[in-house]
Coordinates of all heavy atoms in Angstrom, one line a residue:
F366 N 11.3 -12.8 11.0 CA 10.3 -11.7 11.1 C 9.0 -12.2 11.7 O 8.8 -13.5 11.7 CB 10.0 -11.1 9.7 CG 9.6 -12.0 8.6 CD1 8.2 -12.3 8.4 CD2 10.5 -12.6 7.8 CE1 7.8 -13.2 7.4 CE2 10.1 -13.5 6.8 CZ 8.8 -13.8 6.6
L367 N 8.2 -11.3 12.2 CA 6.9 -11.7 12.8 C 5.8 -11.2 12.0 O 5.9 -10.1 11.4 CB 6.8 -11.0 14.2 CG 8.0 -11.3 15.2 CD1 7.8 -10.4 16.4 CD2 8.1 -12.7 15.5
V368 N 4.7 -11.9 11.9 CA 3.6 -11.6 11.1 C 2.3 -11.7 11.9 O 2.2 -12.7 12.7 CB 3.4 -12.5 9.8 CG1 2.2 -12.1 9.0 CG2 4.7 -12.5 9.0
Q369 N 1.5 -10.7 11.9 CA 0.2 -10.8 12.6 C -0.9 -10.1 11.7 O -0.5 -9.3 10.8 CB 0.2 -10.0 13.9 CG 0.5 -8.5 13.8 CD 0.4 -7.8 15.1 OE1 0.0 -8.3 16.1 NE2 0.7 -6.5 15.1
T370 N -2.1 -10.5 11.9 CA -3.2 -9.9 11.1 C -3.3 -8.5 11.6 O -3.0 -8.1 12.8 CB -4.5 -10.6 11.3 OG1 -4.8 -10.7 12.7 CG2 -4.4 -12.0 10.7
S371 N -3.7 -7.6 10.8 CA -3.9 -6.2 11.2 C -5.0 -6.0 12.2 O -6.0 -6.8 12.2 CB -4.2 -5.3 9.9 OG -3.1 -5.3 9.0
D372 N -4.9 -5.0 13.1 CA -5.9 -4.8 14.1 C -7.0 -4.0 13.5 O -7.2 -2.8 13.7 CB -5.3 -4.0 15.3 CG -6.2 -3.9 16.5 OD1 -7.3 -4.5 16.4 OD2 -5.9 -3.2 17.4
D373 N -7.8 -4.7 12.7 CA -8.9 -4.0 12.0 C -10.3 -4.4 12.5 O -11.3 -4.3 11.9 CB -8.8 -4.3 10.5 CG -8.8 -5.8 10.2 OD1 -9.0 -6.6 11.1 OD2 -8.6 -6.1 9.0
V374 N -10.3 -4.9 13.8 CA -11.6 -5.3 14.4 C -12.5 -4.0 14.5 O -12.0 -2.9 14.9 CB -11.4 -5.9 15.8 CG1 -10.7 -5.0 16.8 CG2 -12.8 -6.4 16.3
I375 N -13.8 -4.1 14.2 CA -14.7 -3.0 14.2 C -15.4 -3.0 15.6 O -15.9 -4.0 16.1 CB -15.7 -3.1 13.1 CG1 -15.0 -3.1 11.7 CG2 -16.7 -2.0 13.2 CD1 -16.0 -3.4 10.6
A376 N -15.3 -1.8 16.2 CA -15.9 -1.7 17.6 C -17.4 -1.8 17.5 O -18.0 -1.2 16.6 CB -15.5 -0.3 18.1
D377 N -17.9 -2.6 18.4 CA -19.4 -2.9 18.4 C -19.9 -2.6 19.8 O -19.7 -3.4 20.7 CB -19.6 -4.3 18.0 CG -21.1 -4.7 18.0 OD1 -21.9 -3.8 18.3 OD2 -21.4 -5.9 17.7
T378 N -20.5 -1.5 20.0 CA -20.9 -1.1 21.3 C -22.0 -2.0 21.9 O -22.2 -2.0 23.2 CB -21.5 0.4 21.3 OG1 -22.6 0.5 20.4 CG2 -20.4 1.4 20.9
S379 N -22.7 -2.8 21.1 CA -23.7 -3.7 21.6 C -23.0 -4.8 22.4 O -23.7 -5.5 23.2 CB -24.5 -4.3 20.5 OG -23.8 -5.1 19.6
Q380 N -21.7 -5.0 22.2 CA -21.0 -6.1 22.9 C -20.3 -5.5 24.1 O -19.6 -6.3 24.8 CB -19.9 -6.7 21.9 CG -20.5 -7.3 20.7 CD -21.5 -8.4 21.0 OE1 -21.2 -9.3 21.8 NE2 -22.7 -8.4 20.4
W381 N -20.3 -4.2 24.3 CA -19.7 -3.6 25.5 C -20.5 -3.9 26.8 O -21.7 -4.1 26.7 CB -19.6 -2.1 25.3 CG -18.6 -1.7 24.3 CD1 -17.9 -2.5 23.5 CD2 -18.2 -0.4 23.9 NE1 -17.1 -1.8 22.6 CE2 -17.2 -0.5 22.9 CE3 -18.5 0.9 24.4 CZ2 -16.6 0.6 22.3 CZ3 -17.9 2.0 23.9 CH2 -17.0 1.9 22.8
Q382 N -19.8 -3.9 27.9 CA -20.4 -4.2 29.2 C -20.3 -3.0 30.1 O -19.2 -2.5 30.4 CB -19.8 -5.4 29.8 CG -20.4 -5.8 31.1 CD -19.6 -7.0 31.8 OE1 -18.6 -7.4 31.3 NE2 -20.2 -7.5 32.9
V383 N -21.5 -2.5 30.5 CA -21.5 -1.4 31.5 C -21.4 -2.0 32.9 O -22.3 -2.8 33.3 CB -22.8 -0.6 31.4 CG1 -22.8 0.6 32.4 CG2 -22.9 0.0 29.9
V384 N -20.3 -1.7 33.6 CA -20.1 -2.4 34.8 C -20.3 -1.6 36.1 O -20.1 -2.0 37.2 CB -18.6 -3.0 34.8 CG1 -18.5 -4.1 33.8 CG2 -17.6 -1.9 34.6
T385 N -20.7 -0.3 35.9 CA -21.0 0.5 37.0 C -22.5 0.7 37.1 O -23.3 0.4 36.3 CB -20.3 1.9 36.8 OG1 -20.7 2.4 35.4 CG2 -18.8 1.8 36.9
E386 N -22.8 1.3 38.3 CA -24.3 1.6 38.5 C -24.8 2.6 37.6 O -26.0 2.5 37.1 CB -24.4 2.1 40.0 CG -24.0 1.1 41.0 CD -23.9 1.7 42.4 OE1 -24.1 2.9 42.6 OE2 -23.5 0.9 43.3
R387 N -24.0 3.6 37.2 CA -24.5 4.6 36.3 C -24.4 4.1 34.8 O -23.5 3.5 34.4 CB -23.6 5.9 36.4 CG -24.2 7.1 35.6 CD -23.7 8.4 36.2 NE -22.3 8.7 35.6 CZ -22.1 9.2 34.4 NH1 -23.1 9.3 33.6 NH2 -20.9 9.4 34.1
Q388 N -25.5 4.3 34.1 CA -25.6 3.9 32.7 C -25.3 5.0 31.8 O -25.6 6.2 32.1 CB -27.0 3.3 32.5 CG -27.4 2.1 33.3 CD -26.6 0.9 33.0 OE1 -26.6 0.5 31.8 NE2 -25.9 0.4 34.0
P389 N -24.8 4.7 30.6 CA -24.5 5.8 29.6 C -25.7 6.4 28.9 O -26.7 5.6 28.6 CB -23.5 5.1 28.7 CG -24.0 3.7 28.6 CD -24.4 3.4 30.0
T390 N -25.7 7.7 28.7 CA -26.6 8.3 27.7 C -26.2 8.0 26.3 O -25.1 7.5 26.1 CB -26.8 9.8 28.0 OG1 -25.5 10.4 27.6 CG2 -27.1 10.1 29.4
D391 N -27.1 8.2 25.3 CA -26.7 8.0 23.9 C -25.5 8.9 23.6 O -24.6 8.5 22.9 CB -27.8 8.4 23.0 CG -29.0 7.3 23.1 OD1 -28.7 6.2 23.6 OD2 -30.1 7.6 22.7
S392 N -25.5 10.1 24.1 CA -24.4 11.0 23.8 C -23.1 10.5 24.4 O -22.0 10.6 23.8 CB -24.7 12.4 24.3 OG -23.6 13.3 24.1
E393 N -23.1 10.0 25.6 CA -21.9 9.5 26.3 C -21.4 8.3 25.6 O -20.2 8.1 25.4 CB -22.2 9.2 27.7 CG -22.3 10.3 28.7 CD -22.7 9.9 30.1 OE1 -23.5 9.0 30.3 OE2 -22.1 10.5 31.0
L394 N -22.3 7.4 25.1 CA -21.9 6.2 24.4 C -21.2 6.6 23.1 O -20.2 6.0 22.7 CB -23.1 5.3 24.1 CG -22.8 3.9 23.6 CD1 -22.0 3.2 24.6 CD2 -24.1 3.2 23.3
A395 N -21.7 7.6 22.4 CA -21.1 8.0 21.2 C -19.7 8.6 21.4 O -18.7 8.4 20.7 CB -21.9 9.1 20.5
E396 N -19.6 9.4 22.6 CA -18.3 9.9 22.9 C -17.3 8.8 23.3 O -16.1 8.9 23.0 CB -18.4 10.9 24.1 CG -17.2 11.8 24.4 CD -16.9 12.8 23.3 OE1 -17.9 13.5 22.9 OE2 -15.7 12.9 22.8
L397 N -17.8 7.9 24.1 CA -16.9 6.7 24.5 C -16.4 6.0 23.2 O -15.2 5.6 23.2 CB -17.7 5.8 25.4 CG -18.0 6.3 26.8 CD1 -19.1 5.4 27.4 CD2 -16.7 6.2 27.6
L398 N -17.3 5.8 22.2 CA -16.9 5.1 21.0 C -15.8 5.9 20.3 O -14.8 5.4 19.8 CB -18.1 4.9 20.1 CG -17.9 4.2 18.8 CD1 -17.2 2.8 19.0 CD2 -19.2 4.1 18.0
F399 N -16.0 7.2 20.2 CA -15.0 8.1 19.5 C -13.7 7.9 20.2 O -12.6 7.7 19.6 CB -15.5 9.5 19.5 CG -14.4 10.5 19.1 CD1 -14.1 10.6 17.7 CD2 -13.7 11.3 20.0 CE1 -13.1 11.5 17.3 CE2 -12.7 12.1 19.6 CZ -12.4 12.3 18.2
A400 N -13.6 8.1 21.5 CA -12.4 8.0 22.3 C -11.7 6.6 22.1 O -10.5 6.5 22.0 CB -12.7 8.3 23.8
W401 N -12.5 5.6 22.1 CA -12.0 4.2 22.0 C -11.4 4.0 20.6 O -10.3 3.4 20.5 CB -13.2 3.2 22.2 CG -12.7 1.8 22.1 CD1 -13.2 0.9 21.2 CD2 -11.9 1.1 23.0 NE1 -12.6 -0.4 21.4 CE2 -11.8 -0.2 22.5 CE3 -11.1 1.5 24.1 CZ2 -11.0 -1.2 23.1 CZ3 -10.3 0.5 24.7 CH2 -10.3 -0.8 24.2
K402 N -12.0 4.5 19.5 CA -11.4 4.4 18.2 C -10.1 5.1 18.1 O -9.2 4.6 17.4 CB -12.4 5.0 17.2 CG -13.6 4.1 16.9 CD -14.5 4.7 15.8 CE -15.7 3.7 15.5 NZ -16.5 4.3 14.4
V403 N -10.0 6.3 18.7 CA -8.7 7.0 18.6 C -7.6 6.3 19.4 O -6.5 6.2 19.0 CB -8.9 8.5 19.1 CG1 -7.5 9.2 19.1 CG2 -9.9 9.2 18.2
C404 N -8.0 5.9 20.6 CA -7.1 5.2 21.6 C -6.4 4.0 20.9 O -5.2 3.7 21.2 CB -7.8 4.8 22.8 SG -6.7 4.3 24.2
K405 N -7.1 3.3 20.1 CA -6.6 2.2 19.4 C -5.4 2.5 18.6 O -4.5 1.6 18.3 CB -7.7 1.7 18.4 CG -7.4 0.5 17.5 CD -8.6 0.2 16.6 CE -8.3 -0.8 15.6 NZ -9.5 -1.1 14.7
H406 N -5.2 3.7 18.2 CA -4.1 4.1 17.3 C -3.0 4.9 18.0 O -2.2 5.5 17.3 CB -4.6 4.8 16.1 CG -5.6 4.0 15.3 ND1 -5.2 3.0 14.4 CD2 -7.0 4.0 15.3 CE1 -6.3 2.4 13.9 NE2 -7.4 3.0 14.4
V407 N -3.0 4.9 19.3 CA -2.0 5.6 20.1 C -1.0 4.6 20.6 O -1.5 3.5 21.1 CB -2.6 6.4 21.2 CG1 -1.5 7.1 22.1 CG2 -3.5 7.5 20.7
K408 N 0.3 4.8 20.6 CA 1.3 3.9 21.1 C 1.0 3.5 22.6 O 0.7 4.4 23.4 CB 2.7 4.5 21.0 CG 3.2 4.7 19.6 CD 3.5 3.3 18.9 CE 4.1 3.5 17.6 NZ 4.5 2.3 16.9
S409 N 1.1 2.3 22.9 CA 0.9 1.8 24.3 C 2.0 2.3 25.2 O 3.2 2.4 24.8 CB 0.8 0.3 24.3 OG -0.3 -0.2 23.6
N410 N 1.7 2.5 26.5 CA 0.4 2.5 27.1 C -0.4 3.7 26.6 O 0.1 4.8 26.8 CB 0.6 2.5 28.6 CG 1.1 1.2 29.2 OD1 0.5 0.2 29.0 ND2 2.3 1.3 29.8
A411 N -1.6 3.5 26.2 CA -2.3 4.6 25.6 C -3.5 5.1 26.4 O -4.3 4.3 26.9 CB -2.8 4.2 24.2
I412 N -3.6 6.4 26.6 CA -4.7 7.1 27.3 C -5.1 8.2 26.4 O -4.3 9.0 26.0 CB -4.3 7.6 28.7 CG1 -3.9 6.4 29.6 CG2 -5.5 8.4 29.3 CD1 -5.0 5.5 30.0
V413 N -6.4 8.3 26.1 CA -7.0 9.4 25.3 C -8.2 10.0 26.1 O -9.1 9.3 26.5 CB -7.5 8.9 23.9 CG1 -8.2 10.0 23.2 CG2 -6.3 8.4 23.1
V414 N -8.1 11.3 26.2 CA -9.2 12.1 26.8 C -9.9 12.9 25.7 O -9.3 13.6 24.9 CB -8.7 13.0 27.9 CG1 -9.8 13.8 28.6 CG2 -7.9 12.2 29.0
T415 N -11.2 12.8 25.7 CA -12.0 13.5 24.6 C -13.2 14.2 25.2 O -13.7 13.9 26.2 CB -12.5 12.5 23.5 OG1 -13.6 11.8 24.0 CG2 -11.4 11.6 23.1
S416 N -13.6 15.2 24.4 CA -14.9 15.9 24.7 C -15.4 16.5 23.4 O -14.6 17.0 22.6 CB -14.6 17.1 25.7 OG -15.8 17.8 26.0
D417 N -16.7 16.5 23.2 CA -17.3 17.0 22.0 C -16.6 16.4 20.7 O -16.3 17.1 19.8 CB -17.2 18.5 21.9 CG -18.0 19.1 20.8 OD1 -19.0 18.5 20.4 OD2 -17.5 20.2 20.3
R418 N -16.4 15.1 20.8 CA -15.8 14.3 19.6 C -14.5 14.9 19.2 O -14.1 15.0 18.0 CB -16.7 14.2 18.4 CG -18.2 13.9 18.7 CD -18.4 12.6 19.4 NE -19.8 12.2 19.5 CZ -20.6 12.6 20.4 NH1 -20.2 13.3 21.5 NH2 -21.9 12.3 20.4
T419 N -13.7 15.3 20.2 CA -12.4 15.9 20.0 C -11.4 15.5 21.0 O -11.7 15.4 22.2 CB -12.5 17.5 20.0 OG1 -13.5 17.9 19.1 CG2 -11.1 18.1 19.7

Side-chain angles (χ1 to χ4, degrees):
F366 55 89
L367 307 174
V368 181
Q369 65 174 353
T370 59
S371 295
D372 186 6
D373 55 6
V374 62
I375 299 174
D377 182 1
T378 57
S379 70
Q380 301 300 311
W381 290 4
Q382 182 183 8
V383 180
V384 292
T385 50
E386 296 167 1
R387 191 159 78 78
Q388 299 293 304
T390 65
D391 289 344
S392 178
E393 284 178 320
L394 192 59
E396 191 72 46
L397 287 164
L398 179 59
F399 170 77
W401 182 243
K402 286 182 174 182
V403 176
C404 192
K405 174 182 175 182
H406 300 282
V407 177
K408 292 288 186 180
S409 297
N410 291 299
I412 297 292
V413 172
V414 179
T415 76
S416 179
D417 188 29
R418 314 303 188 270
T419 305

